Amino acid sequence: MADFLDVVKRRRSIRKYQDTPLSSDEVVALMTPVLYSPSSKGKQAVEFILVDQKDMLERLSQAKPRFGTMIAGAALAVVICGRMDISDVWIEDASVAATMLLLSAENCGLGACWVQIRERLQEDGSPASLAVRDMLNLAPEQEPLCIIAVGRRAQEVPPHAEEDLRWERMKFLE
Ligand SMILES: Cc1cc2nc3c(=O)[nH]c(=O)nc-3n(C[C@H](O)[C@H](O)[C@H](O)COP(=O)(O)O)c2cc1C
């Protein structure tokens, strides 16, 4: 298993994937850290819909025009939904889980990319979340935040250079 900082440094958004499925062991390894995510008041107001059917991956890729097209080529799409009825800070809970998933993918040697759904529109001006809701037949209390596309990487993206870290964004209170 890789060192934590190594995983953090190596993680980049990967948008091209090989056309091979993930094994069920790989999916378990990928998702286990996600279930350890912290959540407000420990309420875990997040649910995950795992999609690996090609036709549904293709459909989901159209929920977010242009910036979600890579979903069609992914081995797995994890639709991250907040439960608004469980927590008023479901967006935070879901975002923490999504971040954990991106890091877990890197740790597993896979590539992944966040596709934003909440507050994003389709070309006709309708919410992308509505399209996802219809495609997956989500319950009214499930609100899709984002979709994480995952697969075996078919592109290499170098880590961000350490010189580009903007330390000026951080300072001790004087
Ligand atoms: C909240 C959020 C929304 C994002 N939405 C998208 C998206 O819809 N489509 C996409 O291709 N990438 C999306 N990304 C990935 C960013 O474009 C990417 O993280 C950023 O360009 C930095 O590149 P890196 O992830 O390789 O470090 C999103 C990332 C975050 C955190």
Side-chain angles (χ1 to χ4, degrees), residues 28-69:
V28 170
L30 175 72
M31 295 308 294
T32 301
V34 177
L35 297 177
Y36 278 100
S37 297
S39 65
S40 173
K41 300 180 182 173
K43 285 184 173 175
Q44 304 185 337
V46 198
E47 288 171 357
F48 308 91
I49 294 142
L50 278 60
V51 177
D52 64 358
Q53 297 88 341
K54 284 235 179 268
D55 55 337
M56 187 53 86
L57 289 167
E58 177 64 44
R59 288 191 65 199
L60 280 176
S61 76
Q62 289 155 23
K64 173 79 183 290
R66 294 187 297 136
F67 299 107
T69 49

Side-chain angles (χ1 to χ4, degrees), residues 11-13 15 64 67 70 113-116 160:
R11 184 219 57 81
R12 293 298 312 269
S13 294
R15 298 182 174 90
K64 173 79 183 290
F67 299 107
M70 84 293 277
C113 187
W114 182 312
V115 175
Q116 182 68 16
H160 292 290

Side-chain angles (χ1 to χ4, degrees), residues 51-149:
V51 177
D52 64 358
Q53 297 88 341
K54 284 235 179 268
D55 55 337
M56 187 53 86
L57 289 167
E58 177 64 44
R59 288 191 65 199
L60 280 176
S61 76
Q62 289 155 23
K64 173 79 183 290
R66 294 187 297 136
F67 299 107
T69 49
M70 84 293 277
I71 296 171
L76 181 74
V78 181
V79 183
I80 302 195
C81 298
R83 284 283 303 266
M84 312 172 81
D85 54 327
I86 294 179
S87 175
D88 55 348
V89 292
W90 62 271
I91 296 174
E92 287 82 350
D93 278 9
S95 301
V96 169
T99 306
M100 199 72 103
L101 178 48
L102 293 178
L103 291 171
S104 178
E106 181 59 50
N107 192 47
C108 292
L110 301 169
C113 187
W114 182 312
V115 175
Q116 182 68 16
I117 296 299
R118 194 184 75 84
E119 296 289 335
R120 293 291 177 263
L121 299 178
Q122 292 218 290
E123 256 136 22
D124 65 2
S126 64
S129 59
L130 209 60
V132 171
R133 178 174 292 289
D134 286 350
M135 288 171 195
L136 298 176
N137 205 12
L138 296 181
E141 62 277 10
Q142 290 178 312
E143 191 59 35
L145 173 86
C146 65
I147 300 174
I148 307 292

